[in-house]
Each structure stands twice: as C-alpha cells, then as structure tokens.
Amino acid sequence: MTERRTMIVTGASRGIGAAVALGAARRGWAVGVNYRTQPDEAEAVVRSIRNDGGEAVALAADLGDEAAIVAMFEAADRQLPPLGCLVNNAAGVAPRRLRLTDLDAAAINALLAVNVTGAMVAAREAVRRMATAGGGAGGSIVNVSSLAARHGAPNLYIHYAASKAAVDTFTHGLALEVAADGIRVNAVRPGLIDTEIHERAGMASRVEKVAPRLPMKRAGRPDEVADAILWLASEEASYVTGAILDVGGGA
Ligand code: NAP
C-alpha cells in the first residue's frame, strides 16, 4: 500500500472481526474497530494494534441504528486516514434454536435490521466516501455472509440464513452498481468457525458436536476467514468483484 488508508471492520471486538482488524493492521491498514456493547474488548484490539506500531480507533455503533452508523463513519473521517475498505462483519443471531413457528415479526425484523439493512447502510456510507465519481479514490467492500445462506438452517435459525442470502444478492448487485466507480464488492461465506457466536445462539457446544461431521473434521479458525477477507480487500484481488468465496472447509 502506498498511502495508508482505513479499513472499517464492523463487529471487530472479537471473533472473526477482531481477527480481520488485527490482520489488516499487520498489512498496513489503519483500522476502525467497530463494536456495540463491549468497549473493553474493542479497546483491547486497538491496544494490540497500537502496541505493534499500527493505527486504530474503537468506533461504537449499533449496526441496527442508521444514525449511529452515519455517526461512526463521521468519527472515522475525523480520526483516521481516508476510507479504503469496509468489512461488513457484525451480525445478529437467534438467541437459541428456533423454528419459524417460534418467530414473531419483531424478532425477524430485529435481525434483518442489523444483518441486511445495517450492512446496506454501512455500504452506502462507504460508497459515498470511496466512489471515484464523487471524488473518492476507490476501494472495496467485503460482506460476511454464511454457508447458512446455502443450506437454509432449518430448525435452527432460518431467518438468519435468509438474511445471509440477502447479503449474497446485495453483494452481487452492488458490485455491478459500483464497478465503474473504482469499488469492488465481494463476500465470504464462512462455515462452522470456532467463535463465541455459538454461545450467543444458545449452542455453546456446537463446535465440538458438529466438527467431527465436517469434511476436514474440524471447525475453522477466525484467522482463516480473516485471511480470505483480507485477500479480497487487497490489490491482489484487483480484478475480483461480485465474488462469493466459501470458507467452509468443503462443507
Ligand atoms: P461473534 O464472535 O459473536 O462476534 C460478533 C461481533 O459482532 C462482536 O464484536 C459483536 O459485538 C458484534 N455485533 C453484534 N451485533 C452487533 C450490532 N448490532 N452492531 C455492532 N456490532 C455488533 O461472531 P463471529 O462468529 O465472529 O461472526 C462474525 C460474522 O461471521 C457474522 O456476520 C456471522 O454471521 C458470520 N458467520 C460466523 C460463523 C461462525 O461459525 N462463527 C459462520 C458463518 C458466518 P458486541 O458484543 O459488542 O455486540
């Protein structure tokens, strides 16, 4: 990278997002470490980056809140170099195994507000800053989808799976919409990754239960997803747009 630019990573206080933030800093990006409820975790990621000589700030925002997303981008404008990449990683999950008949509109909408609307609003803010037509220097967006978009997650969380299918279609459409504006838009679709998301979804032992049934007989690590995201964000992927890369160990 010639001039340092900023990557904003949503949901970067832990899990895959934290791995992306740390890996991005090692590759020379200044990093906006977004979090919602855990400032201590986000600050720990920021400290780790700064201790290694990198540049990072923690950025609070609930991705379900448009005004908060806009304020987060404005805070990044003030504190960090120009934006070069957005990683749309934050996601809501179901609090436990649910069937469609357990769901009401409020629960469905709360999840869609973060996973779909929030991702689109964040992408809009990124496009406004990066589009060459508006005087920006171009850049890229990487959306974090899920293999659930393919298998549908029956008896688990079909609304979450459907939200990730929306992310896939959004990736494809936006990639075409902004291709001539110097912005590439891609997605990764992780399979089973060993993070706290499973505990959040009320299935703390999911990794040990499911991993033996996977082709590689193990879950993925956050850094293995981060490496795919960071490649898509890099100049090495300069002719890749609209791609959806499965990172699921063959699942
Ligand atoms: P995780 O360990 O639970 O971390 C989620 C992160 O997102 C945290 O930093 C959390 O911060 C943040 N977050 C959640 N809701 C937010 C909101 N409304 N606004 C802002 N930040 C929010 O999850 P993960 O496993 O790393 O998942 C990261 C991404 O990978 C998600 O898009 C997920 O759907 C996808 N994915 C994961 C797996 C897997 O097996 N782990 C598989 C497929 C796809 P707070 O705690 O502060 O809210």
Side-chain angles (χ1 to χ4, degrees), residues 9-19 21 31-35 41-42 45 89-90:
V9 186
T10 67
S13 57
R14 59 190 143 78
I16 293 167
V31 189
V33 178
N34 163 254
Y35 68 98
E41 289 184 345
V45 173
N89 168 78

Side-chain angles (χ1 to χ4, degrees), residues 155-179:
N155 306 306
L156 281 176
Y157 31 64
I158 61 174
H159 58 326
Y160 168 88
S163 77
K164 294 299 189 175
V167 168
D168 289 356
T169 302
F170 166 57
T171 299
H172 182 63
L174 183 63
L176 299 178
E177 193 166 298
V178 299

